[in-house]
Amino acid sequence: MIKNIRTTERNTLMLHELEYPFDSEYILKKSKSLKRRLLEENTQRIPKKIAVLGGSTTHDIIRILELFLLNQGIEPTFYESEYGMYWEDAMFGNEELNAFGPDLVYIHTSFRNLRSLPEVKDSREQVEDKLRSEFEHFQVMWGEAGGHLALSDHSGQL
């Protein structure tokens, strides 16, 4: 379908299906064929190692993220943490993750990963305390992830 393809200044294949506004259901349904179309062109891409640390299922996130990155001329390689192990991987690392040496760490969580959700009966001060506690919890993790995971820029471009 030539009408769904355009070429950028970099002479890279770009799919209109991956431009805003996009149909997320269509992209999920057609992800394999979209990836195949993107990879058909033997274009030079910027290689990037991306660690995805998840507090919930990350398979579909990685599948779709790969399409958008390929569409922008980035060739991603992913490390995917075990389900629910984002905290442990960020705080303590692990051999496989450390050996992977990510250029970028994406921490994917949801409300299910919050330790203390506000309740209807909570006062404004209690809600703010819970928010502050959760924020500090994630700040510690973000700080540790940078210390334990040797983030590197192998290509000179981030």
Side-chain angles (χ1 to χ4, degrees), residues 28 31 57-66 80:
L28 275 169
S31 63
T57 304
T58 56
H59 176 73
D60 285 341
I61 297 289
I62 289 172
R63 187 173 66 165
I64 302 311
L65 181 58
E66 180 179 34
E80 183 176 15

Side-chain angles (χ1 to χ4, degrees), residues 22 32 60 74-75 127:
F22 49 83
K32 286 182 182 179
D60 285 341
I74 298 169
E75 183 83 38
V127 170

Side-chain angles (χ1 to χ4, degrees), residues 8 12 26 53 56 61 67 97 105 122 126 134 136 141 149:
T8 66
T12 304
Y26 174 83
L53 310 183
S56 59
I61 297 289
L67 293 175
L97 176 56
V105 176
D122 288 346
Q126 288 172 312
E134 291 298 330
E136 288 170 358
M141 180 182 57
L149 302 176

Side-chain angles (χ1 to χ4, degrees), residues 85-142:
M85 295 297 288
Y86 75 97
W87 177 263
E88 290 80 358
D89 283 349
M91 293 299 289
F92 312 112
N94 69 47
E95 244 179 72
E96 184 182 356
L97 176 56
N98 294 340
F100 180 70
D103 298 308
L104 175 76
V105 176
Y106 171 59
I107 299 172
H108 179 78
T109 61
S110 71
F111 76 94
R112 290 184 180 101
N113 303 115
L114 298 175
R115 299 167 301 147
S116 183
L117 290 171
E119 298 177 27
V120 174
K121 64 181 173 117
D122 288 346
S123 69
R124 181 180 186 93
E125 184 177 288
Q126 288 172 312
V127 170
E128 288 175 5
D129 286 344
K130 288 179 179 183
L131 174 62
R132 189 174 14 267
S133 174
E134 291 298 330
F135 186 75
E136 288 170 358
H137 177 74
F138 280 92
Q139 271 187 314
V140 167
M141 180 182 57
W142 295 324

Side-chain angles (χ1 to χ4, degrees), residues 15 24 34 71 124 130:
L15 301 180
S24 58
L34 292 171
N71 200 46
R124 181 180 186 93
K130 288 179 179 183

Side-chain angles (χ1 to χ4, degrees), residues 1-24:
M1 291 193 224
I2 300 300
K3 67 179 181 179
N4 291 331
I5 299 172
R6 72 177 172 86
T7 304
T8 66
E9 303 77 42
R10 292 185 318 225
N11 205 23
T12 304
L13 177 74
M14 300 278 295
L15 301 180
H16 285 287
E17 293 93 337
L18 299 175
E19 293 179 5
Y20 185 81
F22 49 83
D23 180 347
S24 58

